[in-house]
């Protein structure tokens, strides 16, 4: 499906400055798309009623819903891998780490995909939106009646697939000689497997458990491999690729329709998702419309806590991909917070819990949901020492907020299961904060032996079309 030659596509000497500027623009757009898709998959996954006891669902249905949830979580992890590869390519060509994105819902003017991005619970409309995002370019060309990649005005911009966006990136990358294009410093290339396992002690089968392993992208060959992985994992190498995002989403839709048909024939309803708000928010952003405001006091405080943790995670990711001067051990400490406790022990459990809390007081018919609201202050902190100080402050604040939310729930009429989960969350965030302070102090101590700037250890790049994501 994909062109993998390293020969330039354009005859004659390229305008390197113009190509670099356009490439950075496209890569930032791709980063926004991957970031947005990751959150949309997470939101749909968090909405699924996969934890018994669940009223109105039998054991077989719960297992089916658990499978859907697992697939959506896997899709979100793979979008994170795609985002990491985009950020590595951006660094390679001289760009800065980019994790900005518009607020949800995102009007289609932001992306040339013709589909509005939104945080909505799992349902058929959400599946159709996801399928449209991951649609293979070959199918779009059949729908439009024109060969893939041709242009005849604004309508084509509205119909461009994610794969077409990456093909444009591919063409720009190949149009400039390697030595002129890849000017970014080597230490900005993140190989997370090398950070986790610098001596290659573990097999790749072990490393896949970490979920997100970008590899360095600083040559034509590695750029082509990254783009191929993103396209084939999303659209699929062919339209019938069963393990692509598109293929997996088609299977979920088929199973969903089958469950709905069976429930209708039996004269009952099938509700796999909680009635979460569309595009939940605790405040109205100037660039977002049609948000669902969370007004219940406990849910609102929990949503504010979620936003603080999500914002800190993005802030730390910016430093992780924009690091300069960190030792390997410092980078490992940063990674050990942002990729594991924050994602798995904060974002996921609190996001799921928000789907069970009422969005407004006294009205259990509609529940809240994780807002993923984005603050203006989420920018790269360029100084290593300043960044470490800010991260320690934010983690301490996050722990204090978590304890306050737990206390608020304890003083009200929240169910026991909600109280237990909030207390456990607060304990985990406190441990996370304490451990980061201890680890940072240890690796920055003058007596700590390994304080050399992080340089990626050569690590085998996955074979074309392969992935380390579980």
């Amino acid at each position: 499906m994909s062109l993998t030659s390293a020969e330039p596509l354009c005859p004659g000497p390229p305008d390197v400055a113009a190509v670099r500027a356009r490439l950075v623009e496209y890569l930032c757009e791709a980063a926004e798309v991957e970031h947005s898709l990751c959150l949309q998959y997470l939101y749909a996954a968090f909405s699924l009623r996969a934890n018994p006891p669940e009223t109105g669902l039998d054991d077989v249905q719960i297992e089916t819903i658990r499978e859907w949830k697992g697939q959506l979580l896997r899709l979100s992890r793979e979008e994170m891998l795609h985002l990491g590869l985009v950020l590595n390519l951006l660094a390679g060509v001289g760009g800065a780490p980019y994790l900005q994105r518009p607020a949800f819902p995102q009007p289609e003017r932001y992306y040339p995909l013709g589909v509005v991005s939104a945080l909505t619970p799992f349902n058929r409309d959400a599946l159709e939106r996801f399928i449209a995002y991951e649609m293979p370019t070959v199918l779009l060309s059949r729908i439009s009646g024109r060969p893939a990649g041709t242009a005849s005005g604004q309508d084509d911009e509205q119909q461009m697939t994610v794969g077409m966006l990456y093909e444009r990136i591919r063409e720009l990358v190949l149009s400039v000689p390697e030595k002129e294009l890849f000017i970014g410093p080597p230490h900005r290339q993140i190989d997370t497997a090398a950070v986790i396992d610098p001596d290659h002690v573990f097999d790749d089968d072990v490393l896949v458990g970490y979920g997100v392993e970008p590899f360095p992208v600083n040559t034509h060959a590695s750029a082509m491999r990254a783009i191929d992985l993103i396209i084939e994992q999303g659209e699929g190498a062919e339209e019938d690729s069963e393990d692509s995002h598109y293929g997996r989403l088609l299977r979920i839709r088929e199973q969903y329709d089958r469950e709905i048909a069976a429930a209708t024939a039996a004269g009952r309803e099938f509700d796999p998702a909680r009635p979460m708000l569309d595009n939940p928010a605790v405040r109205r952003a100037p660039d977002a419309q049609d948000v669902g405001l969370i007004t219940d006091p406990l849910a609102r405080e929990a949503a504010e806590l979620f936003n603080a943790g999500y914002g800190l995670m993005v802030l730390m990711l910016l430093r992780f991909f924009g690091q300069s001067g960190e030792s390997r051990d410092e980078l490992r400490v940063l990674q050990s917070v942002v990729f594991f406790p924050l994602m798995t022990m904060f974002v996921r459990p609190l996001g799921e819990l928000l789907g069970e809390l009422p969005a407004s007081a006294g009205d259990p018919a509609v529940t809240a949901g994780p807002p993923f609201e984005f603050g203006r202050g989420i920018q790269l902190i360029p100084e290593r020492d300043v960044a470490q100080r800010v991260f320690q402050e934010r983690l301490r604040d996050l722990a204090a907020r978590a304890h306050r939310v737990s206390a608020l729930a304890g003083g009200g009429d929240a169910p026991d299961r909600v109280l237990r989960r909030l207390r456990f969350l607060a304990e985990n965030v406190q441990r996370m904060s304490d451990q980061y302070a201890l680890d940072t102090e240890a690796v920055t101590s003058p007596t700590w032996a390994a304080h050399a700037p992080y340089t990626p250890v050569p690590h085998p790049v996955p074979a074309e079309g392969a992935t380390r994501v579980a």
Side-chain angles (χ1 to χ4, degrees):
M1 169 183 175
S2 301
L3 178 66
T4 55
S5 168
E7 293 299 320
L9 298 181
C10 303
D15 183 342
V16 176
V19 169
R20 193 185 312 282
R22 178 57 62 88
L23 184 55
V24 168
E25 180 180 342
Y26 279 163
L27 287 169
C28 287
E29 184 173 353
E32 288 190 7
V33 170
E34 303 295 357
H35 191 170
S36 169
L37 271 174
C38 174
L39 301 188
Q40 291 179 77
Y41 289 142
L42 280 179
Y43 194 85
F46 291 166
S47 74
L48 285 169
R49 301 193 299 144
N51 298 318
E54 296 284 2
T55 59
L57 298 173
D58 59 36
D59 291 342
V60 174
Q61 289 173 327
I62 288 176
E63 286 305 313
T64 299
I65 294 170
R66 282 178 174 170
E67 172 63 23
W68 295 345
K69 184 169 187 172
Q71 288 292 339
L72 289 171
L73 291 173
R74 180 184 172 192
L75 292 179
S76 72
R77 289 196 299 271
E78 290 171 354
E79 297 300 345
M80 290 173 62
L81 167 62
H82 300 174
L83 177 57
L85 292 173
V86 168
L87 294 179
N88 270 355
L89 180 52
L90 190 56
V93 302
Y98 183 85
L99 288 173
Q100 292 292 327
R101 60 166 182 78
F104 289 107
Q106 300 167 5
E108 60 188 44
R109 69 177 181 271
Y110 284 116
Y111 306 125
L113 299 172
V115 178
V116 175
S117 299
L119 297 177
T120 60
F122 180 94
N123 54 35
R124 203 177 195 283
D125 288 341
L127 285 173
E128 292 292 348
R129 189 173 75 250
F130 298 156
I131 289 169
Y133 264 112
E134 307 285 8
M135 178 182 291
T137 301
V138 64
L139 291 184
L140 182 66
S141 66
R142 293 175 189 170
I143 294 170
S144 65
R146 289 187 296 274
T150 61
S152 62
Q154 182 64 24
D155 288 344
D156 284 320
E157 289 293 309
Q158 294 293 333
Q159 290 184 322
M160 189 170 76
T161 65
V162 174
M164 291 167 68
L165 173 61
Y166 280 104
E167 290 296 351
R168 294 185 179 190
I169 292 171
R170 181 197 303 278
E171 181 172 350
L172 288 170
V173 168
L174 293 176
S175 70
V176 175
E178 198 170 89
K179 290 183 179 180
E180 295 186 55
L181 180 62
F182 294 99
I183 62 174
H187 70 260
R188 287 272 311 284
Q189 289 291 325
I190 295 298
D191 180 354
T192 58
V195 178
I196 297 167
D197 181 29
D199 299 318
H200 310 310
V201 174
F202 299 110
D203 294 332
D204 280 350
D205 289 342
V206 175
L207 292 174
V208 296
Y210 289 92
V212 186
E213 287 87 29
F215 52 81
V217 184
N218 48 21
T219 63
H220 279 151
S222 58
M224 295 308 99
R225 189 169 286 115
I227 292 170
D228 284 344
L229 186 150
I230 293 170
I231 292 176
E232 292 171 11
Q233 203 171 63
E235 296 184 353
E238 304 292 342
E239 62 182 280
D240 59 350
S241 296
E242 293 185 358
D243 199 46
S244 68
H245 293 191
Y246 182 74
R248 280 179 264 167
L249 288 165
L250 287 180
R251 285 199 302 277
I252 293 175
R253 185 179 66 181
E254 179 183 353
Q255 293 166 357
Y256 176 81
D257 288 345
R258 194 160 55 238
E259 290 291 341
I260 290 291
T264 301
R268 54 186 173 83
E269 293 184 351
F270 174 63
D271 295 318
R274 295 185 175 86
M276 284 168 32
L277 287 170
D278 289 353
N279 307 302
V282 293
R283 61 183 62 82
R284 295 187 186 278
D287 61 341
Q289 299 176 351
D290 301 322
V291 299
L293 287 179
I294 300 172
T295 58
D296 176 79
L298 177 58
R300 186 179 177 87
E301 288 297 319
E304 292 273 21
L305 173 65
F306 182 92
N307 287 338
Y310 165 65
L312 175 59
M313 184 179 71
V314 174
L315 195 65
M316 297 178 89
L317 280 171
L318 281 168
R319 183 65 197 178
F320 186 72
F321 282 94
Q323 55 85 29
S324 59
E326 276 88 349
S327 68
R328 183 185 306 280
D329 295 288
E330 288 174 311
L331 203 59
R332 188 182 289 112
V333 168
L334 183 58
Q335 177 173 304
S336 70
V337 174
V338 71
F339 282 134
F340 310 122
L342 269 179
M343 290 185 182
T344 62
M345 299 174 67
F346 180 87
V347 169
R348 177 173 176 176
L350 187 54
E352 292 173 339
L353 182 59
L354 278 163
E356 300 182 40
L357 298 178
S360 59
D363 182 12
V366 180
T367 60
F372 290 104
E373 289 179 276
F374 213 69
R376 288 189 176 89
I378 303 178
Q379 305 288 342
L380 173 67
I381 302 173
E383 298 83 12
R384 175 182 62 103
D385 294 342
V386 175
Q388 290 173 349
R389 170 74 176 269
V390 170
F391 296 157
Q392 288 191 37
E393 291 175 350
R394 295 286 181 90
L395 282 167
R396 285 196 298 268
D397 177 67
L398 197 66
R401 284 174 178 243
H403 286 298
R404 286 199 299 270
V405 172
S406 176
L408 177 63
D413 56 357
D416 287 343
R417 59 183 175 79
V418 171
L419 287 175
R420 289 194 301 270
R421 291 159 69 185
L422 284 173
R423 287 169 183 163
F424 185 62
L425 180 78
E427 292 169 1
N428 280 335
V429 178
Q430 186 66 61
R431 281 194 291 267
M432 195 187 315
S433 174
D434 294 342
Q435 191 62 49
Y436 179 78
L438 289 172
D439 289 346
T440 301
E441 181 180 1
V443 300
T444 56
S445 168
T447 60
W448 190 262
H451 191 67
Y454 168 69
T455 303
V457 173
H459 196 84
V461 177
E464 201 166 323
T467 175
R468 298 183 189 137
V469 179

